[in-house]
Amino acid sequence: MSAKVMFATLCLVAMVKVSVSGPASGGGTCFVGDKTYRVGDKWTQACNAVCQCKAPGTFECVPMCASVPPPKACLKTYTTVEDPNNSCCTIKTCPSELV
């Protein structure tokens, strides 16, 4: 780990859910946009959300990344950088002199 302390942005937040019902297309599938998914299938939507076909015609999406505030020690001096574990998310770092 570098001299900077990293505070990771969570990539999936189960507590923040956005449920959306898609039109039923029969046979245990979900039709989303121009694609058909089977019950249980998961997909991402442009680094914004991870979705899953939960039941015929019903899918659920959760945010891909959570917004995590910076630590109090560096509220005004933190830096936001790409999360090395998920290029869709960011992490906040404090300058090393505050560690």
Side-chain angles (χ1 to χ4, degrees):
M1 190 167 186
S2 69
K4 293 183 179 183
V5 175
M6 291 189 215
F7 297 91
T9 299
L10 300 175
C11 291
L12 293 178
V13 178
M15 300 300 289
V16 181
K17 292 185 178 180
V18 179
S19 295
V20 185
S21 293
S25 57
T29 61
C30 298
F31 184 73
V32 182
D34 61 348
K35 296 189 180 196
T36 301
Y37 300 94
R38 294 179 305 215
V39 171
D41 285 352
K42 291 183 179 182
W43 66 95
T44 58
Q45 291 190 328
C47 275
N48 295 318
V50 176
C51 301
Q52 182 175 20
C53 182
K54 298 297 234 176
T58 304
F59 59 94
E60 181 175 76
C61 298
V62 295
M64 181 159 305
C65 307
S67 177
V68 177
K72 290 180 182 180
C74 63
L75 282 175
K76 295 181 181 178
T77 59
Y78 72 90
T79 302
T80 301
V81 297
E82 184 178 293
D83 183 339
N85 298 314
N86 184 338
S87 62
C88 290
C89 302
T90 59
I91 57 174
K92 294 175 176 70
T93 62
C94 284
S96 59
E97 64 269 12
L98 295 178
V99 178

